[in-house]
Amino acid sequence: MTIPLEEAKHYKLEFYVSLADFCRFSIKQLDVCLTNDSLFDSTAFAITSVVPQIQNSTFISDTLNWVKVSGIYKASGGEQFITIGNFNLTNSSDTTQLDTPSQPLSPNSSYYYLDDVS
């Protein structure tokens, strides 16, 4: 974001996703965290210490089309960073196994393309 969000204002966030070909699983938890500071940590394998403000509630398994994920967020004020992803450990993520026509891209993961974040 170029300027921080303003306190008590409502913001609509949306983006489009598509599951990569040859993934073995799709997930529900493709969520959004809006924060004042970056969540980046080069030493961490996963970011699980946050609760996403916008949560997706359906499995996204479409590999041919773009699927819109959106939500409304009431800002606390000062948010400058958008982090999109799964903020749960693997064993607490909702997954569904897919019929993959050949060798999966990664045997136990999902890989999504993101586009048009606004």
Side-chain angles (χ1 to χ4, degrees), residues 83-105:
T83 307
I84 299 171
N86 179 1
F87 302 99
N88 295 315
L89 294 172
T90 301
N91 61 355
S92 58
S93 296
D94 291 326
T95 63
T96 185
Q97 190 164 346
L98 305 171
D99 293 328
T100 307
S102 64
Q103 187 66 11
L105 183 67

Side-chain angles (χ1 to χ4, degrees), residues 15 27 29-33 52 54 83-88 114:
F15 57 95
I27 62 171
Q29 289 87 358
L30 200 52
D31 302 329
V32 179
C33 272
I54 298 174
T83 307
I84 299 171
N86 179 1
F87 302 99
N88 295 315
L114 294 169

Side-chain angles (χ1 to χ4, degrees), residues 56-111:
N56 179 54
S57 61
T58 60
F59 287 104
I60 300 174
S61 56
D62 198 328
T63 59
L64 297 176
N65 302 294
W66 291 99
V67 177
K68 180 165 67 170
V69 175
S70 65
I72 303 294
Y73 172 66
K74 183 178 178 182
S76 298
E79 296 92 327
Q80 299 183 80
F81 294 88
I82 299 171
T83 307
I84 299 171
N86 179 1
F87 302 99
N88 295 315
L89 294 172
T90 301
N91 61 355
S92 58
S93 296
D94 291 326
T95 63
T96 185
Q97 190 164 346
L98 305 171
D99 293 328
T100 307
S102 64
Q103 187 66 11
L105 183 67
S106 181
N108 294 313
S109 64
S110 296
Y111 184 90

Side-chain angles (χ1 to χ4, degrees), residues 5-18:
L5 300 184
E6 295 180 35
E7 182 180 359
K9 280 188 121 176
H10 288 85
Y11 294 87
K12 180 178 183 181
L13 181 106
E14 70 179 29
F15 57 95
Y16 293 84
V17 298
S18 182

Side-chain angles (χ1 to χ4, degrees), residues 10 19-20 22 43-44 83:
H10 288 85
L19 181 66
F22 309 116
T43 64
T83 307

